[in-house]
Every structure is written in C-alpha cells, then in structure tokens.
Amino acid sequence: MAQYGQGEPLGASWRLVELLGSGATGEVWRVDHGPTGDAAAAKLLRAELAADPGIVERFVRERSVLLGLQHPSIVRVRDLVVEGDRLAIVMDLVPGGSARDLLAAAGTLSPRDALTITAETLDALATAHRQDVVHRDVKPDNVLLDAEWSPGATGLVRVTDFGIASVVAERERTTTGLLGTPQYMAPESISHGRSGPAADVYGAGVMLYELLSGRTPFAGPGTDFAVAYRHVTSTPPVLEVPDALWSTLATMLAKDPAARPSATDAAATLRRLARSLADVPALEPTVDPEEFAAVERPATVVRGSVASGATGTAGTAGPDGAAADDDVAEDDGTAGSVPELGPAGSATVVRPMARQPLPVASDPAASPATRTARFRRPDWLTNRAAGFGALGLALVVVLVVGAVVWLPGSRGTTPGRQATAQAANAYQQDRPLPTGLTTTRKATLDPESGAVELTTTYTAQGATLSGPLVEVLPAARSGGSCPTVRWRDGPVTATRNQPSVTGVDTACAWSLSGAAIEPGSDVAVQATVRVPSVTDGASLQTWLDAVGTATTGVVTDQSVSGTAYPVQRLQDVVVRTPDRTVSQTALPVTLLPVWPSGTDELNPLYRSPASGAPSQMLQDVAGGESGVRFADGCSGALAVSSDGLVVTALSVAPACTVRATVGAFSDLESAPFSITTRD
C-alpha cells in the first residue's frame, strides 16, 4: 500500500501524480513540476526510516554522487526535497522501463541487443570510474530505458541507483554481510570486501550473461551466500554463443580483477561484436544447473613412492636416491600403507631429485688414479698464485654488484624497483565523518619509476568545509622510516604536521591547508610517494589501507586535545542554554564542540547573540554563521530571528528546548530549560 497519496504536494514545486514502484526503503512516483508542467520521477524515503542516519546517508549519497556524474547514459538529478520527515530525490523520468522488464517480456535477447545494452551501460560506468566512483550494484533492474525497446535500438540506456556507490563507502569493507546483489557481485567483493572498477565490469558481464541466457551464471539452489560464493569457487556454465562472444564474456567474468578489461575497452569490444553478430538469433532460455564446475586451483600434495624392486615400504628410494615414479603400495590396511590421493592433476608432487652423475672417462675400466692423472697442475700455478687470483676475482664481483645496486639509486629510484615493480591500482574509502566530509583515495604504482601516484579526494555534504586536513602516509613496514612525498602544486598546500601546534603527535602526518569544499563538490590532492616495499597490487592495496587506518586513528584519538583539524575530528555539537531564562529577553545559546576526548567547554563554536566575528572552527565546519540555524522547540514559546541566529523567549513555559543545525549536524537540541517572568 502506498505511503503517500496521489495529488499530494512535494516541496514547493512538485506534485505526486502516479506511483511507479515501491521497495523496502521507499517509493518511486511520477511527479509534475507546477511552474512548467514537466514530468519527472521522485524517489521518496519511507517516513519511518527517516530517523535512521545510515539509511538517510545512503539515500542522500545517491544524489551527491549523481550530481557529479554527467553522461547521456546516466540518470540526471534535478532536485532534492527535504520537508519535515519527508526526503525525496527528483530525477529525470525514464519511461521505457528497465532491462529487467525487457528481459521478463522477451525471455532472452539477441546477441546484438544484449551487447548494445551492456556496452551503453559500460559507457556510463566508464564515466563514473574516471571520477573514482564505483557503482557496486550493476544489474538489469538499475539499467533503465528511455523509450520502449525495439530490436537494433541504440542510445536508450540510462543507469540509475548509485545508492551504494563506493565514493563514500563505509570504512569497514570486509563484513559478515554482503553489500550489493549476490547474483552480480564480483569474487573480490565477496572474498575481500573490495569493490573497484573491475567489479563493475564483472557485474556488467553477469548482466550480459543473463540477457543472453535468461539466467545469471551462478543462479541455483541455496541461500544468497551460497549463490555469492559460487562466484569465487565455480566456473560459469558455457553458453552456446559464437566463440568470440564467449571469449569476451569469459574475460569480463574473470576471477582475477586484473585480468578483466576496463569499462571503456569492454564497451568498445562489445560494440564491435554487436555489429558482427547482428544476424545471430537469441538463445532459448536456459535452466539453473544443479551443480557447478569448481575452479581449478593448484594444490600441494605430498606423495610417498615405492621404488621398483624395493621392499614395499612406502617412500623407499631407489638405488640412485630417487623414488620410483609410479609404483605405489596398495592399501592393505596396515600402518605403512599409502592413502589413495586420486589423480595428481596440477598438483605438486614432493619427490627427491635424482643426482646427475659426474662425467667420467668413456673407458669403464679406467681407475680413479688414472682419471686423476689426466689433470696435472702447471708448475706456475702455485698455492700463492691461486690465492691472489681468488682475491682479485672476489674484488671484481664486489665492484660489479655494487655498480648494479648503486646506479639505479643514483637516478633517484629505489634499488631493484625498475626490475620488479608491476603496474597496479588500488582504491580505499573512509567512512563519512559527522561533519559531512568523505575521503576517497586512489593509488597507482608506476612500474618504471617505482613511485606511487596518490590522489586523495575530499567531498562535502551539507555545508562548505575548509581549513587544514590531516593525512598520514605511513611507512610500508612497521618501524620503517616515513616515505618520501612530493605534493603537486594546487589550491591545497601540504606541510609537515607540527605536534607542538596541533597536538597531533603521529609519525608521517601531513597538514593540508587551503581546501574549500563546497557541498556536493570535491577537492583532489595529488602526491608522488616513494614506498620501497610496494612492488605489486597486493602490497599497494595493503599500504593504501594503512593510510586510511592511520589517518582514521589520528582523527579519532581520544588523547589528542585542542581544536586542530576540526573538519575531521569534530564528533558532535552540544547546544547549551541556561537552566532558566526570562521571557521577553534573548536566550543565551552556546554551541560547544565535542571531540573524541569529550565536550570542549573552553572553546565554543558559537555564541548567540553573537558579538564579534565567528570562530575559525565554525568557519571550517559550517561555512561560518551561514551554516547555523536555530529553531523553536517550545511550540511557540520561542521566537527566532529571520536569519535564524537569535532566539528570544516569548512566554512562560515550564520546560522548553531550542533546536539547532550546524553545518552537517542537524536535529541538535538543547537540554530542557524553563521560561519565567521577571517577577
């Protein structure tokens, strides 16, 4: 049953017209714009969920993400409506249904149409990936069509539902739950909790498989977790499609994310295939298999062997020290029998190596003495001469090795890095902070220089954020020295953190000043970092995760006192009023910051009525006085000035509260106080 009614107003400009669909967290309505009559779609959050900060944050996140993504194949956001407990995102109306609806009506699609829809979806994902946004829930339900589909159509795809996009994802990415839809989740998302651009390509591959066959590759019996883990442990059943198409699809569904193409490359390949397979008919819908083939994995097996002609004891070696190849004792139930391990396959068999015999004279009758006599040391090769020769050879070896080690270092690179570093990318996101700041990090390992190119992107929600930010770039190994960092020129200036000034006494910490982040926008800071032990994707991801962990540790450290880095360290705001005030007078209101160490009584954010300029902290976390608003919590016993900054007690009230908004901190409320007369 719909929670909202047809004809109800939505904000000041919209009116609900028709319910289009509903889900666990909200409803989607067709709405009309009063001044122009334009039609749009509004996603409304259920009123009973508006008190859940996590759900609200995820809901608003989609709007923030979409505002920064402009592409013909991405649904455009038009408005955000917030009134009371009603929260709605207004987007372009996409009238042609979804790829899910199309699939339900047709059963399966021809390769040309399936490839076209997937290629246009990948176009949208490529745009998101270039802005370090990962969708994480690619599936036919989230691929809308701008008009009714007809065979061979193009340009109709509109990707939507970026509600769990990882640009502002939770910090703890490895959990006991699944973030996404199990049928479409990449193996690394399930086994490691990491979702990079390659995971979106995998999801697009699953969708392509479903459009072609009518089922996802790992659909079958079992729970969601059972289905999800087939992505990790099983191979997808092969479809009866042309080899070139299956080869491309199998590459998109590769278990190793590094083996998958980028979204841009995959889209180009699918378009070429769509043209070449225009006449290939659609498959008949396939049924879910009962069993799935397991992924072949190398295994280590220790096998005992019995030498030919030996006594029959397992593991006995032959005369030359090598175990025989194939003779294995039968299992007769005795303690010395060898268990049946089955075919070796690609397993590693541990077996002693047969020693290669030394070269001997062809004459088998020659004695050791005869063979020794064939080599006679020259008279000049005395023991003294041999000693000097060995010493000279050792010096040459030392000089050569030193040159090999020294020369790369003299060019400014870490020894051995040019020969061992592998190109790799890593992604990491911090949990959104109470001030509305979100932090996304992307690291790229340059195999030629061995350096890490680090891009840290800060995004604001709810208020303009500014002031210094702290970033910790730790050593790759415990106890190691801080890496060398060269920050790129830009609006943000990086300097070493000064513990005596900030109170933050953490190694490898940097202070980034000059950032001014408008709501819904972001600021990117770039640096070149030399981390000697980072040589591949795994070590790069480990180090980047350590950057997030170390920085989070600083901003949540309860031992740090002072007001440094308020955008990251401010946890809450307390609204403080007197226990009693007099009617017809201005109510003194003080906004106190709450740090990880507790409420700061000595350094208020703001006082009302104000005298003098607002504090720098308020400027940093709320954009100054423009980010502060007070409201009556007393059913008319309080009056608030037109600018929202001065509260006046009007009439007697036994228990009253004042509400406040400070930047991203909303729904703040004071403790109850009373209003009395002057008498």
Side-chain angles (χ1 to χ4, degrees), residues 248-558:
T248 300
L249 181 55
T251 303
M252 294 175 67
L253 295 176
K255 304 298 182 189
D256 181 4
R260 299 174 208 144
S262 67
T264 301
D265 292 342
T269 301
L270 297 191
R271 280 195 173 84
R272 289 194 297 269
L273 286 171
R275 291 192 294 269
S276 64
L277 302 177
D279 298 328
V280 177
L283 298 175
E284 290 296 325
T286 59
V287 297
D288 298 345
E290 293 295 328
E291 296 181 352
F292 293 84
V295 176
E296 293 186 3
R297 299 178 182 275
T300 300
V301 178
V302 180
R303 290 177 184 272
S305 297
V306 180
S308 299
T311 62
T313 304
T316 305
D320 61 354
D325 290 338
D326 299 312
D327 294 315
V328 180
E330 296 182 359
D331 185 0
D332 58 1
T334 63
S337 62
V338 178
E340 176 58 42
L341 297 179
S346 60
T348 300
V349 178
V350 178
R351 178 174 293 156
M353 290 283 293
R355 295 182 180 178
Q356 297 295 329
L358 294 173
V360 297
S362 59
D363 182 6
S367 65
T370 303
R371 292 195 297 269
T372 303
R374 293 184 179 180
F375 174 79
R376 182 176 182 277
R377 186 169 65 177
D379 294 339
W380 57 268
L381 188 57
T382 63
N383 290 339
R384 183 182 181 87
F388 280 116
L391 179 61
L393 180 61
L395 290 174
V396 170
V397 170
V398 170
L399 290 174
V400 171
V401 172
V404 171
V405 173
W406 170 257
L407 287 177
S410 66
R411 294 193 298 268
T413 61
T414 304
R417 289 300 298 267
Q418 288 188 345
T420 59
Q422 304 173 10
N425 294 313
Y427 301 85
Q428 185 272 333
Q429 304 89 27
D430 285 349
R431 181 187 294 276
L433 296 178
T435 57
L437 179 74
T438 60
T439 305
T440 304
R441 299 178 181 90
K442 175 184 177 181
T444 301
L445 179 59
D446 184 350
E448 294 187 1
S449 65
V452 175
E453 298 298 331
L454 175 65
T455 301
T456 304
T457 304
Y458 300 103
T459 306
Q461 293 185 20
T464 300
L465 303 177
S466 60
L469 305 171
V470 64
E471 191 76 8
V472 182
L473 304 182
R477 295 176 180 174
S478 177
S481 57
C482 297
T484 302
V485 184
R486 180 172 61 82
W487 297 90
R488 303 281 180 83
D489 294 335
V492 177
T493 302
T495 58
R496 293 279 187 183
N497 170 69
Q498 299 182 31
S500 60
V501 176
T502 64
V504 175
D505 190 5
T506 300
C508 311
W510 291 84
S511 180
L512 309 179
S513 59
I517 314 165
E518 299 293 332
S521 65
D522 54 55
V523 171
V525 183
Q526 295 179 312
T528 300
V529 189
R530 297 195 175 276
V531 192
S533 61
V534 172
T535 57
D536 56 19
S539 56
L540 180 65
Q541 186 66 60
T542 298
W543 177 77
L544 192 61
D545 286 343
V547 172
T549 300
T551 303
T552 300
V554 165
V555 301
T556 58
D557 188 352
Q558 297 182 4

